Amino acid sequence: MTQQFNTNNTSEANFKKPEWLRKKLTPHTQVEMENLLKDVGGLHTICQEAKCPNISECFSNKNATFLILGNICTRRCTYCNVKTGLPNGVDETEIKKVTTSVLSLGLKFVVITSPARDDLKDGGAEQFYKVTKDIIEKSPQTKVEILIPDFKGNEDCLKRVIESGATIIGHNVETVPSLYRIRRNGTYARSLEVLRKLKELGGDKIKTKSALMVGLGETEDEMIQVFQDLLEVGCKFLSIGQYLAPSGDFEKVIEYVKPEQFQRYEDIAYKMGFEFVKASPYARSSYMAHHYLNMATAL
C-alpha cells in the first residue's frame, strides 16, 4: 500500500537520473521538524520511513504524513522501503501523540496512513477511526485525509474508517494490473473494490483518492485503462509519480518518465473526468495533500 521513495542514484537501474529528478534537499528544515516530532516521542512519519524525496519541502512547511500502527509492515512488496516483519500490538498512546503534534504544529491539513497490518483482525481500522476522530474533536479546524491499506476488502473495516470523519480516504492501486506481482498479498481487483465500497458506503461526504507509480514498464494504454477503472468506482482524485528503487534488492526502474509525459497523463485524466490530478516526477500520494483537501471542501 505505501509507496517507496528514494533519491539515492546508486540504487537505480544502470543509467543516470535525468536532471528533472535531481531534487535539492534542505537538511536543516528536515532536522527541525524531526526534533518537533521527537518531543512527543515514538511517532513515525511515512516521510521518514519511506525516505521520501519531498521530505525537506514538506517538513519546511510543517506538513507531515503520520504513520500509525507502528513502522513494520506485514507484507513484503518488492517496491517499498518500509520495514517488514512481525509488528508489535496496537499502541493506544499514539492517538494522543498524533493529536498533540497536530496542535503543537498548528496543522490545518493532516494525512494519516499505516503499514499493512494483516496480523490484526480489523487490519487497524479502529485505530484509524480513533486517531482521526481525536484530531477532529480536539482541533475542529483541521481537515484529515487517511490513506488506508486494503483491509483484505473487509466491509466492516471500511465502514469504520468512513465513520471517522476524514474528508478524503485514499487507497493506492500503485501500478497497472500486468505488474501486480510487485504487490505481495494484494490484488488489483481487491483494490478497486475497496475504492468502490468506500464511495458506495461514504457517498457524497467523502472523496476517494488513489495513486500510481510509473517507470516500472507500464504502457500508456494500460495507464489510461486504470484511469477508466478508477472513475468507474467513483475515484476522482489521482496522483502519479516516478518510481524510484530503494536499493538494488527492489524492483528496477525501467524508465525515467519525462515531464511532458506526466503532463500528458494529467491532461488525459482531467479530460476523462477526474476532479483533481497531480502528475509529476516527484508526485506522491500524500504530497501537497492540502491541494486535494482544498478541492474536496470546495466541491
Side-chain angles (χ1 to χ4, degrees), residues 106-122:
L107 301 180
K108 294 182 180 179
F109 306 102
V110 180
V111 183
I112 307 294
T113 190
S114 80
R117 289 296 304 263
D118 294 331
D119 59 310
L120 301 175
K121 185 177 180 180
D122 71 345

Side-chain angles (χ1 to χ4, degrees), residues 8-192:
N8 183 352
N9 289 345
T10 61
S11 67
E12 300 296 347
N14 294 322
F15 49 97
K16 291 183 178 181
K17 281 186 179 177
E19 286 300 320
W20 64 81
L21 280 172
R22 297 172 190 249
K23 190 165 191 172
K24 292 182 179 180
L25 302 180
T26 52
H28 66 282
T29 57
Q30 182 175 329
V31 170
E32 181 184 1
M33 182 70 159
E34 287 174 345
N35 287 337
L36 287 169
L37 291 170
K38 283 178 183 177
D39 288 342
V40 294
L43 275 184
H44 301 281
T45 68
I46 193 62
C47 323
Q48 296 160 301
E49 298 298 326
K51 297 181 180 178
C52 180
N54 301 315
I55 190 168
S56 296
E57 181 181 357
C58 291
F59 276 16
S60 66
N61 291 310
K62 294 188 177 180
N63 293 329
T65 298
F66 293 102
L67 187 68
I68 64 170
L69 294 163
N71 64 339
I72 299 176
C73 184
T74 54
R75 301 185 185 183
R76 195 181 293 273
C77 297
T78 59
Y79 59 88
C80 183
N81 195 60
V82 174
K83 290 182 286 189
T84 60
L86 183 62
N88 296 320
V90 176
D91 178 9
E92 293 292 334
T93 68
E94 74 180 356
I95 300 167
K96 182 179 179 180
K97 288 176 181 178
V98 171
T99 301
T100 298
S101 294
V102 169
L103 292 169
S104 298
L105 296 170
L107 301 180
K108 294 182 180 179
F109 306 102
V110 180
V111 183
I112 307 294
T113 190
S114 80
R117 289 296 304 263
D118 294 331
D119 59 310
L120 301 175
K121 185 177 180 180
D122 71 345
E126 184 66 18
Q127 191 75 341
F128 269 101
Y129 172 84
K130 290 178 178 178
V131 170
T132 304
K133 204 75 173 174
D134 198 57
I135 292 170
I136 294 170
E137 287 177 358
K138 305 285 175 49
S139 182
Q141 75 280 8
T142 302
K143 300 296 182 183
V144 182
E145 173 183 332
I146 57 178
L147 175 61
I148 62 170
D150 62 24
F151 297 136
K152 296 183 178 179
N154 186 296
E155 188 168 308
D156 289 336
C157 295
L158 298 177
K159 286 179 180 177
R160 195 58 172 157
V161 296
I162 289 169
E163 293 167 354
S164 69
T167 303
I168 297 175
I169 302 180
H171 174 67
N172 294 343
V173 293
E174 304 286 22
T175 189
V176 300
S178 67
L179 295 172
Y180 244 65
R181 59 178 176 73
I182 72 174
R183 295 199 74 183
R184 300 288 170 84
N185 299 321
T187 70
Y188 182 71
R190 183 196 290 167
S191 284
L192 283 180

Side-chain angles (χ1 to χ4, degrees), residues 223-232 236 238 265-275 277:
M223 290 287 287
I224 292 172
Q225 183 58 58
V226 174
F227 296 172
Q228 186 60 47
D229 292 343
L230 290 172
L231 288 170
E232 287 177 1
K236 294 191 175 182
L238 177 65
Y265 282 142
E266 187 170 305
D267 292 343
I268 290 170
Y270 273 124
K271 287 177 182 177
M272 290 177 69
F274 283 89
E275 293 173 348
V277 183

